[in-house]
Amino acid sequence: MDRTNWTEIEFILQGLSEYPKVEKLLFVMCLMMYLVILLGNSTLIILILLDSRLHTPMYFFLGNLSLLDICYTSSFTPSVLIHFLSQKKTISFLRCVVQMSVSYTMACTECVLLAVMAYDRYVAICNPLRYPIIMSKALCIQMATLSWGMGFLNSLIKTILAIRLPFCGKNVINHFVCEIMAFVKLACADISLNEIAIMLGNVIFLYIPLLLICISYIFILSTVLKMNSAEGRKKAFSTCSAHLTVVTMFYGTILSIYMKPKSKDSAIDKLIALFYGVVTPMLNPIIYSLRNTEVLGALRKLMSRHWFWRKG
């Protein structure tokens, strides 16, 4: 494949083509989960924007996480749903590159954003009197911008390194989506530079944020255990429980994908990756809303206002 003829290149996304009945079932499941993702995360963003009680650093970052989850799943889910029902499971070179770049940007951004949210909880619990001063509006915007910017820059570097490779006819991607490593492996040239760049990216965007999250929670745990009030300890743990659940779910799944030995049945690996891409974004707004009185209060307020308008 000549790099000058990108518009003529098409890739075949193999997915689970050998299991057509399973694909029909996956279509229904993924469609339902995608609709829940759009509804849940959009509702959370609207609540954060409209309710002044949610205009705090924690909810500002949560709004960014919800927007990120919508962008991440929307980068590949519509295409995956179409391919589940289609005999022709092809994607153009440019669409494949865009899908790969956007999804990689969002995944890297989420890693950094989760570390930023852990720092926010650290300041709130370990230094509560100075929390409004430290976590100022300007700093929150800067930290959110840094998260998005780092994710975009890392994805841009990996994408540029990937598209400069020559391709020699192999065009079957053994995945549901254009995943960067599967894409790179189709090249008929030395990909050692790409592999090193991806490995460094994993260290920077997976392990360093995870280390910072662990350090933050060590300090948080130390502070909470020193509290004399049982009510204070309970309140401190409750403010961290949702974030800790999301971090455990996110990193538990992604580390199992990248660190576990490849299964003999590649279908299992593809299913794990697919459900990582849709299940985590679907559960995030549920986890943050389930036991959160502020979010539930804002939702009730919005619904009562909507009911009042309709009645009026």
Side-chain angles (χ1 to χ4, degrees):
M1 296 183 187
D2 193 336
R3 282 174 286 174
T4 58
N5 295 324
W6 285 349
T7 55
E8 300 176 7
I9 298 173
E10 282 191 336
F11 293 108
I12 299 170
L13 295 171
Q14 189 172 6
L16 291 177
S17 303
E18 63 272 31
Y19 305 108
K21 291 183 179 179
V22 175
E23 286 194 324
K24 300 296 187 296
L25 177 62
L26 287 174
F27 171 82
V28 176
M29 294 174 63
C30 289
L31 177 61
M32 291 176 64
M33 286 189 283
Y34 183 54
L35 293 175
V36 172
I37 288 168
L38 294 179
L39 178 62
N41 286 287
S42 298
T43 301
L44 203 50
I45 291 171
I46 292 169
L47 291 176
I48 292 169
L49 289 173
L50 295 182
D51 198 303
S52 58
R53 293 174 298 177
L54 303 183
H55 292 175
T56 64
M58 184 179 81
Y59 292 109
F60 170 74
F61 294 127
L62 181 55
N64 275 266
L65 182 65
S66 292
L67 177 61
L68 188 153
D69 284 339
I70 291 173
C71 294
Y72 175 63
T73 52
S74 296
S75 69
F76 66 87
T77 307
S79 173
V80 169
L81 291 173
I82 292 170
H83 287 161
F84 279 151
L85 300 180
S86 174
Q87 293 294 325
K88 186 182 180 184
K89 305 178 188 296
T90 58
I91 186 170
S92 69
F93 184 94
L94 292 177
R95 279 182 57 210
C96 186
V97 168
V98 170
Q99 184 184 91
M100 176 178 68
S101 178
V102 173
S103 60
Y104 201 67
T105 297
M106 299 303 132
C108 294
T109 301
E110 183 159 358
C111 292
V112 181
L113 190 60
L114 288 173
V116 168
M117 295 172 77
Y119 175 74
D120 171 68
R121 292 299 83 208
Y122 158 75
V123 177
I125 293 172
C126 299
N127 209 343
L129 296 179
R130 297 193 62 217
Y131 179 71
I133 300 171
I134 296 174
M135 299 303 294
S136 63
K137 183 178 179 180
L139 180 63
C140 290
I141 293 173
Q142 289 169 4
M143 294 174 80
T145 304
L146 179 66
S147 301
W148 288 88
M150 288 179 66
F152 172 76
L153 183 62
N154 183 53
S155 176
L156 181 64
I157 292 170
K158 304 298 188 299
T159 303
I160 291 173
L161 288 175
I163 63 176
R164 59 182 285 276
L165 293 169
F167 295 87
C168 306
K170 293 185 295 181
N171 67 337
V172 178
I173 296 178
N174 189 24
H175 211 293
F176 293 106
V177 297
C178 288
E179 195 265 336
I180 190 163
M181 211 47 229
F183 179 88
V184 166
K185 285 180 179 178
L186 295 180
C188 55
D190 182 17
I191 60 170
S192 56
L193 178 61
N194 301 78
E195 290 176 331
I196 291 170
I198 292 170
M199 183 184 69
L200 287 174
N202 289 343
V203 171
I204 295 170
F205 287 90
L206 278 177
Y207 301 111
I208 292 179
L210 181 58
L211 177 63
L212 294 175
I213 291 170
C214 291
I215 292 172
S216 296
Y217 275 102
I218 289 171
F219 281 109
I220 289 171
L221 182 62
S222 175
T223 301
V224 170
L225 292 177
K226 291 176 184 177
M227 292 179 178
N228 296 322
S229 167
E231 186 65 28
R233 287 196 296 269
K234 183 180 178 182
K235 185 178 180 181
F237 277 125
S238 67
T239 61
C240 297
S241 59
H243 177 259
L244 200 53
T245 303
V246 169
V247 167
T248 303
M249 191 170 56
F250 176 81
Y251 273 100
T253 311
I254 201 169
L255 290 177
S256 70
I257 292 172
Y258 285 103
M259 294 184 68
K260 82 177 189 69
K262 292 295 181 182
S263 169
K264 291 181 179 179
D265 184 3
S266 62
I268 296 175
D269 297 316
K270 287 185 280 188
L271 285 173
I272 292 173
L274 175 66
F275 281 103
Y276 153 74
V278 291
V279 172
T280 304
M282 179 187 71
L283 293 179
N284 283 351
I286 298 173
I287 291 169
Y288 273 100
S289 304
L290 200 59
R291 295 178 60 187
N292 191 313
T293 55
E294 292 175 324
V295 173
L296 292 175
L299 181 59
R300 282 193 292 266
K301 182 180 176 181
L302 181 65
M303 291 176 68
S304 62
R305 187 186 301 173
H306 177 68
W307 178 82
F308 178 77
W309 285 340
R310 288 189 64 182
K311 188 176 180 181

